[in-house]
Amino acid sequence: MDFKNTSHLQYQAGDLFLGRDGNGRDIGVQSDRHALTVAGSGSGKGTCVIIPNLKRYIGNALVIDPKGENARETWKDRLDLGQSVHVIDPFQKSGVPDQFIASFNPLDHVDKDGLTAGSDLLVIADGLIKKSNPDHAEWDATAAKILAGCMGYVLAEAPEDKKTITEARNVLLQPADDLRDDALNMMVSDEFDGLVRDAGNMIVTALDSERSLESQALSQAKRQTQWIGMKAFRNVLETCTFKLSDLK
């Protein structure tokens, strides 16, 4: 791309903002392709690329913003562009007004009677299980299946205000006798393509045999969802104030 002559790069609404030319004019590029910015920590990726684009981009944006800086610097601009603003801020770092603080319960978007309900739960559970050792891939997969089955169980059986991933984890954290009782109930369920039944079987096997793969997977499911029990995350996971389907 030739940056010596920027007349063909005059910024227009919807462009990817690139910066300003030597004459101080905004320049950008119109493209539906992905853009990747690579630079070291503290080099200005947020200040020079992310924030300027969020201030200008007329379309929807889903922003991963651990420091809260992007939300803090651009929420007013996003509103001025006609967008709604929802900030999930577990550690209250963004500083945006309270009316824009949001929460998101992934299970709220699973259609219990939908054709893909079971696979939707597996996708959510799989995203919660960290994969660090290829040699333990079967443990990871089994842990995800157990977690997905517990999610299906709470969606099928729990009161409306308890149909959350927090409650699914609470099922796993019960004393052994109580967990077994729930697992036995799960074993006779045909909900979510048999996902609940399969998880019940795995849990019973885990409780009966401490050296089994299922026992290791059960421990892993508990361990890798420990963060869900933190107050900061419970506050943003137990209700849903917006729909991802609104991001079009």
Side-chain angles (χ1 to χ4, degrees):
M1 184 176 291
D2 181 13
F3 288 99
K4 293 181 180 179
N5 178 5
T6 60
S7 59
H8 64 296
L9 295 175
Q10 182 177 353
Y11 180 82
Q12 301 179 46
D15 283 1
L16 172 66
F17 175 72
L18 298 177
R20 292 191 172 99
D21 64 14
N23 297 313
R25 295 175 298 192
D26 287 359
I27 60 173
V29 59
Q30 183 74 48
S31 177
D32 58 1
R33 291 174 293 181
H34 297 291
L36 174 66
T37 301
V38 180
S41 177
S43 58
K45 297 184 295 297
T47 302
C48 299
V49 180
I50 298 173
I51 289 175
N53 272 284
L54 287 174
K55 285 176 172 287
R56 293 169 171 81
Y57 183 59
I58 59 176
N60 291 333
L62 176 62
V63 185
I64 300 174
D65 183 21
K67 297 179 181 178
E69 180 183 12
N70 299 326
R72 182 167 55 252
E73 296 294 332
T74 68
W75 68 268
K76 291 181 181 178
D77 302 277
R78 300 303 296 165
L79 290 175
D80 290 342
L81 290 167
Q83 297 292 337
S84 58
V85 174
H86 309 280
V87 181
I88 298 175
D89 186 10
F91 299 111
Q92 301 176 1
K93 296 291 187 181
S94 68
V96 304
D98 288 346
Q99 63 263 40
F100 304 116
I101 298 299
S103 57
F104 182 71
N105 172 19
L107 301 191
D108 199 49
H109 298 270
V110 176
D111 180 1
K112 180 175 176 292
D113 299 315
L115 295 177
T116 62
S119 58
D120 291 343
L121 289 177
L122 278 172
V123 167
I124 295 171
D126 186 69
L128 294 173
I129 301 298
K130 179 181 178 182
K131 290 83 172 172
S132 57
N133 188 339
D135 293 337
H136 297 162
E138 193 170 359
W139 290 1
D140 297 335
T142 304
K145 289 176 182 177
I146 289 174
L147 185 57
C150 289
M151 292 178 184
Y153 182 56
V154 300
L155 280 177
E157 303 295 338
E160 284 301 318
D161 63 341
K162 296 293 186 181
K163 297 181 186 295
T164 66
I165 59 172
T166 304
E167 186 64 20
R169 182 171 186 270
N170 288 341
V171 171
L172 294 177
L173 296 181
Q174 297 179 103
D177 288 345
D178 294 332
L179 177 56
R180 183 182 296 275
D181 287 342
D182 271 333
L184 292 173
N185 289 331
M186 294 167 69
M187 288 171 62
V188 297
S189 170
D190 60 358
E191 299 284 357
F192 298 98
D193 304 324
L195 198 61
V196 176
R197 179 184 62 246
D198 293 346
N201 279 315
M202 293 175 190
I203 292 171
V204 169
T205 300
L207 294 173
D208 288 342
S209 176
E210 293 184 358
R211 299 177 66 102
S212 65
L213 179 149
E214 288 82 0
S215 180
Q216 298 295 326
L218 178 60
S219 296
Q220 186 169 353
K222 294 177 181 179
R223 183 173 60 254
Q224 297 218 24
T225 56
Q226 185 174 2
W227 62 273
I228 294 174
M230 296 173 59
K231 182 179 179 180
F233 290 106
R234 291 200 312 270
N235 289 341
V236 298
L237 288 172
E238 293 189 342
T239 60
C240 211
T241 59
F242 68 99
K243 295 181 179 180
L244 282 179
S245 58
D246 293 336
L247 295 176
K248 300 177 181 178

